[in-house]
Amino acid sequence: MSMDSFIIEALQVLLVIGLAPAFAGWVRTLKCWFQGRSTPGLFQPYRDLFKLFSKEVVLAYNASWIFRFTPYLLFGTAVLAGGIIPILSIDLPLAATADVIVLISLFAIARFFLALSGMDIGTAFGGMGSSREMMIASLAEPAMLMAIFTVSLVNKSTSLAEIVQVIYSGQLILRPSITFALIAFILIILAETGRIPVDNPATHLELTMIHEAMILEYSGRHLALIEWTSMMKLYLFVCLCIAAFAPWGIAVKGSLAALPAAFGFMVAKLGVAGLIIVLIETGLAKMRLFRVPEYLGVAFLLATLGMLSFFILD
Amino acid sequence: MEITLETASQVIDFLAALVLITSFAMLAQRRIYGLIHLFAWQGLFLAINTAFVGYMADKSHLFISAGLTLGLKVFLLPYIFYILVHRLNIRKEVENMVNIPTLMFIGIALVILSYYVTAPVRELSTLMTRSTLTFALATVMMGLLMMITRRNAVTQVIGFLAMENSLFFAATSATYGMPLVVELGVALDILIAAFIFGIFFFHINTTFDSLDVDRMAKLKEDEMDE
Amino acid sequence: MNYDPITIALSSVVLLLGTALIAPLFRRSRNTLINISFILASIASFCVVAAGYYAVETAVVSTATLPIGLPGLPFHIRLDALAGFFLVVVGLLSFFVSIYSIGYVKGYAGHRSVTSLVVFYCLFIAGMLMVVLADDAFCFLVAWELMAAASYFLVMFENERAENRKAALLYLVVAHVGAIAILFAFGILAGFSSGDVFSGYTFDAMRKAEIPVYWATAAFFLSFLGFCAKAGVIPLHVWLPEAHPAAPSNVSALMSGVMLKTAIYGIIRVTFDIIHVFPWWWGSIVLTLGLISMVMGVLYALMQHDLKKLLAYHSVENIGIILVGIGLSMIFISFKLPLLAALGLIAGLYHTINHAVFKGLLFMGAGAVLHATGERNMEEMGGLIHKMPWTAAMFLVACLSISALPPFNGFVSEWLTFQAFLLSPALPNRILILLIPLGAALLALSGALAAACFVKAFGVTFLGHWRGHHRPHVHEVDWTMRAGMVMAGVTCLLLGILPTIFIDWVDVIAEQFVGSTISLSASQYGWMWLTPVSYERASYSGIIVFIGILVVVAAAYALLHVKPGMIRRSHIWDCGFQKINSRMQYNATSFAQPIRRIFGFLFRIRESVEQAPHAGHKAFPKKITYYLSVKDRIWKWLYKPIVDSSFWLSRQAGRLQQGRIQTYLLYSFITILALLVFLR
């Protein structure tokens, strides 16, 4: 645990906080290009956040401390998760405090409190959003776990730093199990971060909302923090996917000299990931709510097939 | 180009996994056109697999089988079905008798079962394709499952053909394919069967005005009727 | 006076029995009665915790023979590491609940006499302690009966309601079916012990016995059946959701928190200790039943709108999780993988104590809500967080713990169970390797469903507006109840952030039963890092995650919080519809509706909506009635046939009673003839 690793950790956390809106902006820009609209620019999310920060916060009369505390908790857990996933380098002091299962549970805490704050004010929309979100989360968990199980079977560990190292030191093998797990993981990312085909992040119709319905009552700075958190969540899930499946480019040594190259690789991979996300989002339509269990069932099936293929074919 | 045994078995495993995926996708598919397309893809993956095994194992008759599969299963039969669906105005959605998540779970259970069943063969076999026998057996049973749980006659026939695909696949993985004369005979039979099925479909459709197999239950003798 | 643990434990039991005896003397003065008895009970529980702690710490086995019992068949008791652990479990929660009870029982409506509650409460705890300490079948079964009988009377405490009486009867029947099964199991085990006839009933004799495989299997199944009936494993769970809500909340906390654990104690004692050699498929059965209970338990809980019934069904789920850990351990040990077996066993034991603490806290919270509002039905509650902040905060801690969220304790035991699952590829049996990971997926599913259920429970009870028609005067509960809850909540947190210390302490049990410890690897990197198998494999630092969350959230708040002048309070946003009222909120039934639609095929669900249209125009409904009934399929498939066939058998047997003297004389005549012939 040298001084270098702490600097790397700090840099990575700042990068997560600072770059997540840019990634969200990239996804939105690509979507505009695909849909033939003109784009407001890559940095529009920053402008939106800035605007929200300067606005007044309006709270309902009966908002409890949970409602006011949740935005900070969400932001905090996302930042903490950003310090655990190897994005630039695996030499992170915090990476040893949590493995992949703990990471998923950190996101689960955030979701728990967000669902509670959806129910806090006592409107019908908030309860609806919470109820739908918890249903989707409960079906996404087994699929996510199966995908992680497959990855950890192949790499013999659940610690992300270790997984990256094993992939680096091994040969480049095209395994069906990892491919299935990867496809399942992509499907899960779309469900967990509330993208099409599970949830439309840009919808204005309350009855079609899932994530947005829980945050309808938030305004001003609170809303800015929550929006920032959801951008960070997308960013972090994509980085998790990259770290578990395609980590080439992440620095394995602890020196600061390797960081610029790692940064360049990360930007390139994020660009490609954004493209894949937008292709899927543009090509599919949002499913009705009770088709989502089938979708997640397909994800679970693929992950299970990946696990079975590992034993059967290897 | 020198391909090591290691890489070869990876490619074969990968193609086998793709065949399994198309089988599951056929179980889950709701639209007839989608089914036909998936059947074509399955045939394509099989043809590539057979050709590759033929190349690695130096069995030239597998190339002929691969070509036959390509011509028949990827182009001709799907085309015939497409024409049939179009001419007979068959409804474009397929109804299942069992819902889709349950079918998925049965599929997984079949994969585990076939793993258990093919364990002795895997011990004894020395071929590079031995680990794909599990998937082959599983896809045979899933084809049969497709035939059981569908309501529409066209889809039942596609299930039958998928079963035949999988048997062919099983033969490739167990013994590097059947003797060429057997393969040619089977291919010819499949072609004739497709024509005969087509004729039957026309007749059934004229009689019942639909190809729903539940209607055909009326054919059984029943004292309660009339 | 020697302070060895077994003497302390015994004296605590004596203290409890004594309290039960002297309590009726105080029945004139209610407050004195309550104060004295519960304070004595809490002292006894605390001593038990100390005794158990030392027993595990020193890993010394102490036995004693009590002069009670039949002549020639005295009671034997034994305090070893496993018993010590369960003493800690029982004693810890009893301590918290006894302090809580001081305030809770005082709140019981004035006209009812609480003497019986106090007496049976003490007898109940004494019975549980004796079950854990017992070292022979006789003592075990007497203590088991004492526990069952005392809890029967406690469930019947509010016996003016018919449903409570029915619940108590059902409980008694199932408990006795279980007890008979356990009796038979002990009979088999005692029958094979060598030595003279009258000492076969001690556990020591049973341990040394050589039992043939078929008889051992029979003994295992009988005892497992009996203990499952007590633990509430599906399909023998039907009494749990009836009995736990009927009992007073402090008793429900004890029943759900520790009485179910005595069954787990029994399973571990009989399987790992007495019948110590077993084939792998026993473990598979335990694992399968555990998985089924886990998933079905949480699904049943999601369908409930009665707060205490919901908590009762969650006990079914958590017992399932404990059995999963134990089942994995059994499978691993039968394939001679001691390190993995130790991991599974430790995961199961960890979840045992975690569940005791957080379930106790949940029931204490539900009792506080019941005490303050008089309601158990969540559909009538809401907005309590403003009037009952302490209760709400502690209930939230318990909700986070049971949903397996870090940094609380539920997460650590589920994490350890997951790690045990992930190590299953080390098994030599190829089919098990394929099937066990599906169990891990089911564990993830139940964890996520539990989180959904507790968002529902907490959200509907404490958040939003009051949903009921009449508004009671709600106030926070008194300091004793709060103290009990806060202590339990703090324990949840401590068990969550200091797992290595706990594992170091409890590892001696694993060493005794499976021959390996995990603490060597688990705390290899110091007390902060939990690395159960190896550092590269997986590591978790509860305390750093906890501190991390605190620090980052505090920093976020400090840097980014809203300046006081920038907050404005206003009405809730109503989308332009101005007549929004509290009945338009989501309640428990509506929250669970998506999940009910997906998993509803497992239950018998009848749902219907009727609309009475307005006289003027058909499109505007005047009144809408929604009817929903969710029933347990197991009643119809398993219990009803059994009940029907037992009635049929009784009717057939009833034919023997003809009512005429000649027939009865005829019976005696035939019997005498038969005896003469056969005993010639």
Side-chain angles (χ1 to χ4, degrees), chain C residues 6-333:
Chain C
I6 198 167
T7 322
I8 301 181
L10 265 181
S11 14
S12 307
V13 175
V14 168
L15 177 60
L16 282 167
L17 290 172
T19 316
L21 275 176
I22 65 170
L25 298 174
F26 293 97
R27 63 174 180 274
R28 298 284 165 213
S29 160
R30 213 160 171 250
N31 274 1
T32 327
L33 167 69
I34 294 176
N35 285 341
I36 292 190
S37 4
F38 284 113
I39 290 179
L40 284 176
S42 50
I43 293 176
S45 318
F46 190 77
C47 297
V48 163
V49 172
Y53 177 77
Y54 279 114
V56 178
E57 184 77 10
T58 55
V60 163
V61 177
S62 31
T63 56
T65 309
L66 299 176
I68 0 175
L70 298 176
L73 296 174
F75 283 177
H76 297 87
I77 61 173
R78 172 188 167 106
L79 182 54
D80 60 358
L82 182 68
F85 176 75
F86 277 93
L87 280 185
V88 169
V89 172
V90 175
L92 193 65
L93 190 63
S94 308
F95 178 63
F96 297 150
V97 173
S98 302
I99 296 187
Y100 171 88
S101 305
I102 301 178
Y104 183 76
V105 178
K106 277 189 190 157
Y108 254 99
H111 61 273
R112 194 196 303 274
S113 147
V114 296
T115 318
S116 59
L117 177 60
V118 169
V119 167
F120 286 115
Y121 179 89
C122 297
L123 286 176
F124 182 44
I125 303 182
M128 288 195 281
L129 292 173
M130 281 308 286
V131 164
V132 172
L133 285 172
D135 193 36
D136 65 67
F138 186 29
C139 178
F140 188 91
L141 286 167
V142 167
W144 194 259
E145 276 303 317
L146 178 62
M147 192 174 75
S151 47
Y152 168 76
F153 285 110
L154 287 170
V155 171
M156 278 269 281
F157 181 62
E158 295 178 33
N159 57 359
E160 65 274 4
R161 295 162 72 170
E163 66 209 29
N164 290 355
R165 292 197 295 270
K166 282 203 281 194
L169 183 63
L170 179 61
Y171 170 50
L172 200 62
V173 168
V174 177
H176 278 102
V177 166
I180 294 176
I182 299 174
L183 179 64
F184 281 150
F186 280 143
I188 296 177
L189 291 171
F192 281 100
S193 60
S194 52
D196 73 277
V197 171
F198 282 111
S199 70
Y201 72 109
T202 59
F203 286 173
D204 265 335
M206 293 184 203
R207 270 181 212 114
K208 300 186 181 65
E210 295 284 325
I211 313 176
V213 176
Y214 290 120
W215 283 109
T217 313
F220 169 72
F221 274 114
L222 282 169
S223 67
F224 190 61
L225 179 77
F227 289 122
C228 282
K230 178 61 79 180
V233 175
I234 293 197
L236 296 163
H237 66 287
V238 285
W239 60 272
L240 245 170
E242 310 289 331
H244 284 193
S249 305
N250 53 343
V251 174
S252 309
L254 279 184
M255 281 173 73
S256 197
V258 292
M259 189 181 74
L260 305 184
K261 310 301 180 299
T262 56
I264 302 289
Y265 166 77
I267 294 176
I268 298 181
R269 177 66 80 190
V270 170
T271 319
F272 280 91
D273 194 19
I274 297 183
I275 318 176
H276 31 263
V277 201
F278 40 81
W280 65 268
W281 53 274
W282 290 11
S284 315
I285 292 184
V286 175
L287 179 63
T288 314
L289 275 179
L291 287 172
I292 296 176
S293 307
M294 189 174 74
V295 177
M296 291 303 294
V298 73
L299 285 173
Y300 280 125
L302 271 163
M303 309 288 147
Q304 302 304 318
H305 56 84
D306 177 332
L307 186 57
K308 286 175 78 169
K309 250 194 183 167
L310 182 146
L311 295 176
Y313 273 118
H314 269 289
S315 297
V316 173
E317 177 214 353
N318 282 288
I319 290 286
I321 299 180
I322 299 175
L323 282 182
V324 161
I326 294 180
L328 278 177
S329 181
M330 285 169 75
I331 295 179
F332 286 137
I333 194 70

Side-chain angles (χ1 to χ4, degrees), chain A residues 57-62 72 96-97 99 105 109 116 120-122 131 135 145 149 153 157-158 221 290 311, chain C residues 386 406 411 415 422 425 433 463-465 535-537 539 541 560-561 566 568-570 572 585 591 597-598:
Chain A
V57 168
V58 180
L59 288 180
Y61 287 122
N62 66 330
Y72 306 107
T97 64
D99 66 345
S105 312
I109 304 177
L116 280 183
D120 189 40
I121 304 293
S131 148
M135 173 199 70
L145 184 86
F149 195 87
L153 273 179
S157 163
T158 54
R221 204 168 273 237
F290 288 108
F311 289 118
Chain C
H386 302 286
F411 174 71
W415 189 76
L422 287 172
I433 293 184
L463 302 177
H465 301 282
Y535 180 77
E536 290 77 29
R537 181 84 214 185
S539 64
S541 170
L560 299 169
H561 80 280
M566 297 268 275
R568 176 162 66 92
R569 292 275 180 167
S570 162
I572 59 180
Q585 297 173 94
F591 192 92
R597 282 256 269 186
I598 297 171

Side-chain angles (χ1 to χ4, degrees), chain B residues 62-212:
Chain B
L62 283 178
F63 287 119
I64 306 181
S65 312
L68 213 56
T69 312
L70 193 67
L72 264 182
K73 307 265 181 61
V74 181
F75 293 117
L76 188 59
L77 282 174
Y79 180 66
I80 294 180
F81 277 118
Y82 191 81
I83 299 286
L84 273 175
V85 169
H86 195 66
R87 288 269 190 83
L88 295 175
N89 270 335
I90 298 178
R91 269 181 48 223
K92 309 287 190 300
E93 296 87 38
V94 184
E95 279 170 26
N96 282 332
M97 302 207 290
V98 184
N99 67 340
I100 289 185
T102 319
L103 278 182
M104 296 286 167
F105 282 117
I106 301 179
I108 292 186
L110 286 173
V111 173
I112 297 182
L113 181 69
S114 59
Y115 182 71
Y116 180 60
V117 165
T118 58
V121 179
R122 269 204 312 283
E123 307 289 317
L124 297 174
S125 166
T126 53
L127 308 177
M128 73 177 104
T129 53
R130 63 173 177 271
S131 47
T132 59
L133 189 57
T134 311
F135 284 169
L137 189 58
T139 44
V140 170
M141 292 198 274
M142 284 200 280
L144 191 55
L145 187 66
M146 228 179 89
M147 283 175 71
I148 297 173
T149 57
R150 299 283 174 152
R151 285 222 175 101
N152 192 302
V154 175
T155 55
Q156 291 192 332
V157 172
I158 294 187
F160 168 73
L161 289 171
M163 259 177 81
E164 199 277 332
N165 257 352
S166 323
L167 282 170
F168 175 62
F169 181 37
T172 319
S173 21
T175 56
Y176 285 158
M178 301 179 272
L180 189 60
V181 68
V182 173
E183 305 239 348
L184 284 174
V186 170
L188 189 62
D189 282 338
I190 294 289
L191 200 54
I192 306 284
F195 281 131
I196 298 182
F197 278 129
I199 299 175
F200 267 129
F201 286 161
F202 271 112
H203 276 274
I204 296 174
N205 200 31
T206 332
T207 318
F208 288 97
D209 232 353
S210 125
L211 279 177
D212 200 346

Side-chain angles (χ1 to χ4, degrees), chain C residues 481-679:
Chain C
M481 291 171 79
R482 273 183 275 163
M485 289 198 281
V486 167
M487 284 194 287
V490 169
T491 313
C492 282
L493 183 63
L494 286 177
L495 280 173
I497 60 181
L498 300 173
T500 40
I501 297 182
F502 178 78
I503 292 181
D504 272 341
W505 173 66
V506 96
D507 222 0
V508 64
I509 302 179
E511 182 153 31
Q512 277 183 356
F513 290 145
V514 302
S516 164
T517 65
I518 65 169
S519 59
L520 284 174
S521 48
S523 47
Q524 200 178 3
Y525 283 84
W527 63 275
M528 287 204 298
W529 307 87
L530 177 60
T531 56
V533 178
S534 72
Y535 180 77
E536 290 77 29
R537 181 84 214 185
S539 64
Y540 170 59
S541 170
I543 191 152
I544 294 189
V545 169
F546 176 57
I547 294 179
I549 295 179
L550 278 181
V551 164
V552 181
V553 173
Y557 184 78
L559 294 174
L560 299 169
H561 80 280
V562 187
K563 303 185 186 26
M566 297 268 275
I567 296 187
R568 176 162 66 92
R569 292 275 180 167
S570 162
H571 295 286
I572 59 180
W573 179 71
D574 50 19
C575 200
F577 180 71
Q578 284 156 344
K579 293 198 212 138
I580 197 165
N581 63 24
S582 66
R583 298 289 301 166
M584 291 181 187
Q585 297 173 94
Y586 256 54
N587 59 12
T589 318
S590 39
F591 192 92
Q593 189 257 3
I595 300 183
R596 196 166 57 235
R597 282 256 269 186
I598 297 171
F599 290 105
F601 63 92
L602 292 165
F603 305 94
R604 270 169 35 215
I605 298 191
R606 309 263 176 275
E607 217 177 338
S608 70
V609 179
E610 283 163 18
Q611 291 191 27
H614 213 78
H617 201 294
K618 234 177 19 169
F620 297 102
K622 192 161 68 173
K623 178 170 151 175
I624 303 182
T625 314
Y626 174 69
Y627 169 75
L628 172 73
S629 101
V630 180
K631 288 218 196 329
D632 194 344
R633 280 199 201 273
I634 297 186
W635 265 115
K636 196 170 124 187
W637 288 346
L638 184 65
Y639 286 88
K640 208 161 171 315
I642 294 181
V643 168
D644 288 345
S645 52
S646 64
F647 273 130
W648 181 84
L649 275 175
S650 328
R651 273 197 294 275
Q652 304 308 319
R655 294 224 200 119
L656 285 174
Q657 293 195 331
Q658 298 290 354
R660 299 208 318 245
I661 286 229
Q662 283 94 325
T663 327
Y664 299 139
L665 289 174
L666 182 62
Y667 290 154
S668 311
F669 187 58
I670 295 178
T671 316
I672 295 177
L673 283 179
L675 283 174
L676 284 175
V677 167
F678 288 116
L679 294 181

